[in-house]
Amino acid sequence: MRCIGYSFDDAVADIIDNSITAGATKIIVECLWRDDYPYVSIRDDGCGMTLDTLGSAMRLASRSPLENRDANDLGRFGLGLKTASFSQSKSLRVTTWKSNGDACAVNWNLEMQDQTNGWLLDVDTDPCLIKESPSGTLIEWMKLDGIGGRSHEAAEQHFNNMVCELEKHIGNVFHRYIDGTSSNRVSIWINGVECQSRNPFFPNKSRSGPLEIIEDGPHKYSVCSYTLPHSSKCSQKEWDENQGPSGYMESQGFYLYRNNRLIVMGNWFGLAQKRESTKLCRISIDIESSADHKWNIDIKKSSASPPPSARKRLKQLIEALTKASRQTQLHRIRALSTEQIVPVWLRLVKDGKIQYVLNSEHPVISRLNSSLDASQANDVNKVLQVIVNTLPIKAIYRDYSEDETAIDQPQVDFNDLLEHARETRNYLIKNGYTNEQILRLMKSNELFRLRWQEIQSSL
């Protein structure tokens, strides 16, 4: 049971599910060291439990997944409290109190279970407790044992890193609850710091598509696409904050929500490939808990797969849902190409294959060839052909896909840049452009744009 596959993030999120189901508006997570071991507590101000309810909650598989659940119930199998807790720690304590003053606590220690060969609960009907809310529940994991094999210093650093990643994960999974956009607002605190919402759709600057409803028997799934802005349309901070845990390329695809809780993020479910042209496309799918069995929601609530009927419709919709993203990327490419008055590189399509070749009519290349005799010009063209044939397209694509803002081309010497500007101007004059057209075209050219004022004053 301890090896179901919970990560630390998933385990804490599963406990938070229970707190939200209990009507909590404030959840406090503390991750610290106690008696040379990591210790985690999760306290909420929910409705609390009676002793009978707590005893039921401590049973394995306390509820059938086929039961009808409330729209705000984030539970699944009645396993989460136990499986999530024991995946991280051998010792679990649950303390709960009601607004009428009743309080109780239970302890479960797996080492004790080994010794007694029985599932025996240590029950405390009068726990010592500092009540920070009229009612609520406190979950405690003592002596987390999944960080072994390290020195104390290394283990503490590793645990601190886990806590930092936890804040991001909680901000993603529960962003609708933190925002209060689709339910009552819930504030979640980790070590005294309030978790900030991490909405993957960047609603302030994204373009949303029309809402699509997929009907699957008695179930209805809401689908909506979002096209995030291009990096040129937002600040560097905005671009970095909205890239997702694994960057834009890996964060494209479907985002599955169950009762407003994020289950799956950035997954095409095998219906499409992750491409550069669709990396700005993210699509929300909303389902209710009554459709759990159809979507194969797992115990950890971290994976799912669409039923055949929904897969067919989603496959049909992908082309339309990703259209805006593809247009955004294509528009940017076209915009850059039009800025190049006389481009150095030409994009050619031959027999369905794309080639990039040097433009022999570019003023710099043309002037060089005209200054050489036939033999020298032939040698230069051979060198240029080697450059074309060894262009590292795959490496450029990989670097661009990982982080397009990290690519920084070398600066051109200003004198060389000015000479190139003069050659470009002369070329345009020879081709019949007016002075007004020449200034407009050169000013918008990517090569001249950043230093246009200096260039214009020197022309």
Side-chain angles (χ1 to χ4, degrees), residues 299-444:
I299 290 176
K300 306 185 301 295
K301 286 169 283 189
S302 62
S303 67
S305 59
S309 53
R311 289 183 66 88
K312 181 179 179 181
R313 182 55 181 154
L314 289 173
K315 179 71 173 177
Q316 295 170 342
L317 288 172
I318 284 178
E319 182 72 17
L321 295 174
T322 60
K323 183 178 180 180
S325 175
R326 288 183 280 109
Q327 287 179 335
T328 297
Q329 294 289 83
L330 182 61
H331 172 75
R332 180 63 180 168
I333 293 171
R334 285 176 174 171
L336 288 175
S337 64
T338 56
E339 289 170 1
Q340 297 295 327
I341 308 161
V342 187
V344 176
W345 292 92
L346 295 177
R347 180 181 183 273
L348 305 179
V349 180
K350 184 178 181 181
D351 299 328
K353 302 292 184 180
I354 300 172
Q355 295 180 345
Y356 286 89
V357 298
L358 284 170
N359 181 11
S360 60
E361 296 184 5
H362 189 276
V364 174
I365 298 176
S366 178
R367 178 174 59 81
L368 176 62
N369 283 330
S370 64
S371 67
L372 303 173
D373 59 35
S375 177
Q376 292 171 327
N378 185 54
D379 290 339
V380 167
N381 287 328
K382 287 181 180 179
V383 172
L384 295 179
Q385 192 60 44
V386 169
I387 294 174
V388 171
N389 292 336
T390 57
L391 183 67
I393 294 177
K394 291 183 179 180
I396 294 172
Y397 172 76
R398 182 177 63 251
D399 292 336
Y400 183 86
S401 298
E402 290 177 355
D403 184 4
E404 64 181 84
T405 62
I407 298 178
D408 184 24
Q409 291 180 287
Q411 290 289 329
V412 180
D413 179 79
F414 180 73
N415 291 328
D416 293 338
L417 187 64
L418 183 59
E419 182 179 354
H420 178 49
R422 287 170 176 157
E423 290 177 342
T424 302
R425 183 186 60 182
N426 293 336
Y427 175 87
L428 293 173
I429 292 172
K430 290 179 180 178
N431 283 272
Y433 287 85
T434 66
N435 288 334
E436 182 180 348
Q437 291 174 322
I438 292 172
L439 287 176
R440 179 174 54 81
L441 289 171
M442 292 185 66
K443 183 179 180 179
S444 63

Side-chain angles (χ1 to χ4, degrees), residues 239-250:
W239 179 257
D240 293 340
E241 287 179 346
N242 289 279
Q243 64 181 326
S246 304
Y248 284 93
M249 190 70 173
E250 291 302 315

Side-chain angles (χ1 to χ4, degrees), residues 71-89:
N72 295 320
D73 191 339
L74 299 184
R76 175 74 172 105
F77 294 98
L79 281 167
L81 170 61
K82 288 74 67 175
T83 53
S85 299
F86 289 142
S87 72
Q88 306 300 312
S89 171

